Amino acid sequence: MKDGNRLLLTDRREAGRLLGRALGRYAGQGNVIVLALPRGGVPVAFEIARALGAPLDVLVVRKLGAPGQEELAVGAIASGGIRVLDAELVRSLGLTREAIRRVEAREAAELERRERAYRGDRPPAAVEGRTVIVVDDGVATGSTLVAAIAAVRERHPAAVVAAVPVGPAATIARLGQLADEVVCLATPSPFRAVGEFYSEFGQTSDEEVRRLLAAETHATPALGSR
């Protein structure tokens, strides 16, 4: 719900239900697939996929945090060898190539671990020629979603739609230059952190990610059967 200029969400599942309504025009289209950014994007995307009758998969993306300021994203990496850096921020912080390399090596190891944990031996869902809805639980700088969009583009989709419950206007505008469409419920100002717009914003566990993916797999026909 909204309180003045602020969007107040109970939790990620409610955010997904609201986004599912906003994306209603994609319901029942056989060429649509929903890709969630783990971990927090998965509960949101689960509700969207259920509302649209679309298959759900994960797209693993890892933020590259500035050394000593890990919450400050200077870039991101994604499945498929995608790497995005905020060159201006890297310069302003005086970060060396070696410092970035160390951060990237650590996050690459975690990216590989999560790929195995969430998907096991199952290959990534096919997105070529499909409308791909990329989902997260919110954006601040947007670097993670930028990397996700770049990773999806490498796989030749018909269109890429970015869907988030909340984000700053400047970030949403930037994403609009990269995606074919951006669906965002609110762009409040001032914007400090995604979590301030949720009543419940605890960390999503690996187990919850696996549970939701398993539940969706049993509820949704395989990609080739539509």
Side-chain angles (χ1 to χ4, degrees):
M1 65 177 181
K2 288 188 177 181
D3 177 13
N5 192 41
R6 295 172 62 83
L7 179 75
L8 298 178
L9 298 161
T10 302
D11 55 20
R12 294 178 176 91
R13 299 288 289 269
E14 182 193 26
R17 288 190 290 271
L18 292 172
L19 278 171
R21 295 173 197 164
L23 292 159
R25 61 192 172 282
Y26 293 106
Q29 296 185 18
N31 69 329
V32 173
I33 182 169
V34 179
L35 294 186
L37 274 59
R39 290 179 285 205
V42 176
V44 182
F46 176 83
E47 295 293 341
I48 293 173
R50 187 161 69 169
L52 303 183
L56 171 67
D57 199 5
V58 291
L59 176 63
V60 183
V61 181
R62 294 295 297 171
K63 178 176 68 177
L64 301 178
Q69 305 178 66
E70 280 69 24
E71 289 305 310
L72 178 60
V74 298
I77 57 174
S79 304
I82 301 299
R83 178 178 183 262
V84 176
L85 281 181
D86 186 328
E88 184 176 342
L89 185 55
V90 168
R91 283 194 299 270
S92 69
L93 294 173
L95 299 179
T96 64
R97 289 184 179 180
E98 179 59 22
I100 296 295
R101 188 198 66 76
R102 288 195 296 268
V103 173
E104 187 171 350
R106 182 179 68 247
E107 296 302 335
E110 177 62 11
L111 186 150
E112 183 177 348
R113 183 197 72 80
R114 292 194 180 197
E115 284 274 10
R116 291 195 305 270
Y118 303 150
R119 187 177 286 113
D121 296 329
R122 181 170 56 86
V127 303
E128 183 176 355
R130 294 179 175 270
T131 295
V132 181
I133 302 176
V134 185
V135 181
D136 206 353
D137 56 8
V139 292
T141 66
S143 60
T144 304
L145 202 50
V146 166
I149 293 169
V152 172
R153 291 286 192 202
E154 289 288 316
R155 294 157 65 183
H156 309 293
V160 180
V161 179
V164 292
V166 63
T171 299
I172 298 303
R174 179 190 180 199
L175 294 173
Q177 296 174 349
L178 303 172
D180 297 288
E181 181 184 1
V182 180
V183 176
C184 179
L185 299 177
T187 55
S189 180
F191 189 102
R192 290 177 291 274
V194 171
E196 68 181 349
F197 303 102
Y198 286 84
S199 297
E200 299 176 17
F201 197 67
Q203 187 176 72
T204 304
S205 67
D206 283 351
E207 179 56 35
E208 183 178 2
V209 170
R210 287 191 290 267
R211 180 176 60 80
L212 291 173
L213 290 175
E216 194 282 334
T217 298
H218 288 104
T220 306
L223 289 176
S225 67
R226 286 174 172 258

